[in-house]
Amino acid sequence: MRVIAGELKGRRLKAVPGQGTRPTSDKVKEALFHKLGPFFSEQETVLDLFAGTGNLGIEALSRGCSSAVFVDKAQSAVRTVRANIDALALGARAEVYRSEASKALDRLEARGRQFDLIFFDPPYAEEKAGQLVEKVLDCSMLKEDGMLVWEHAAAKSAAFDERLSVFAEKNYGDTTLTILQLTGGAKNGE
């Protein structure tokens, strides 16, 4: 794994030891950021939920985002994210939390945090993925016109809240990347 573009282009990232994580491949990451746009403004903020190595959030920081929050429940993943952030001198622009996704969302909501871009890459067997997306929307964590990038199993279609519109969707083998944009529509026609 490496950073593909921006100020940290070409820098290598450490992987989480073992087989417990499924890092986004460089090929898929490059296609994703091509769809999102090559670079970001310095005011844009990122949430990397189920961060794993921190691969996606670090790429966004390299491409100009001002700050990123990384969340993962696995201690080995959190150690890897911190090691990658330290190696790339991103500590001033990054926060790392070891937490279940739902609890992390509660804490971030209590602090009034909002994000322009949310990477949502839960384990493919995660049963509550749709509920977590609802929680992100209900607590106004995704800014108006913000993007939520959902990586999920290609064999499993995801149902989307009507407040989100599909910006782009593409299959990469057994993985589907769905980029959703918050359109501002009220829930259930309210």
Side-chain angles (χ1 to χ4, degrees):
M1 280 179 302
R2 63 187 173 84
V3 179
I4 295 170
E7 66 182 274
L8 302 169
K9 181 180 180 177
R11 299 285 301 270
R12 293 224 167 267
L13 300 173
K14 292 182 180 184
V16 177
Q19 303 295 318
T21 61
R22 177 190 28 79
T24 303
S25 72
D26 285 351
K27 175 186 164 189
V28 172
K29 183 169 65 168
E30 191 164 11
L32 166 63
F33 280 92
H34 179 75
K35 294 265 188 224
L36 290 174
F39 298 99
F40 302 104
S41 80
E42 292 179 1
Q43 289 77 40
E44 290 179 292
T45 56
V46 177
L47 172 61
D48 194 344
L49 204 53
F50 303 97
T53 62
N55 187 14
L56 297 176
I58 289 170
E59 185 72 32
L61 289 172
S62 180
R63 292 171 184 248
C65 284
S66 63
S67 65
V69 174
F70 299 86
V71 175
D72 204 292
K73 72 177 183 178
Q75 182 63 41
S76 58
V78 169
R79 274 196 296 268
T80 301
V81 171
R82 286 190 175 128
N84 284 328
I85 287 168
D86 289 345
L88 300 170
L90 293 172
R93 297 166 54 200
E95 298 172 50
V96 183
Y97 299 104
R98 180 177 180 215
S99 177
E100 294 275 337
S102 183
K103 289 178 183 174
L105 293 175
D106 288 340
R107 282 191 217 104
L108 291 167
E109 177 186 17
R111 292 174 48 204
R113 296 296 301 267
Q114 288 189 304
F115 300 93
D116 299 288
L117 180 60
I118 297 176
F119 294 113
F120 185 72
D121 185 10
Y124 286 172
E126 175 70 49
E127 296 294 325
K128 299 177 183 175
Q131 292 173 340
L132 288 171
V133 171
E134 285 288 325
K135 189 170 195 166
V136 165
L137 296 176
D138 290 344
C139 65
S140 302
M141 198 162 295
L142 185 62
K143 291 180 182 176
E144 186 73 29
D145 296 322
M147 301 284 201
L148 186 141
V149 178
W150 192 341
E151 189 171 333
H152 54 94
K156 189 175 184 181
S157 63
F160 308 115
D161 186 288
E162 63 269 9
R163 293 171 284 182
L164 296 169
S165 62
V166 177
F167 180 80
E169 187 168 51
K170 178 119 171 113
N171 289 341
Y172 299 92
D174 65 347
T175 297
T176 297
L177 273 182
T178 304
I179 303 172
L180 301 160
Q181 185 169 30
L182 182 62
T183 57
K187 184 176 179 181
N188 299 325
E190 293 174 14

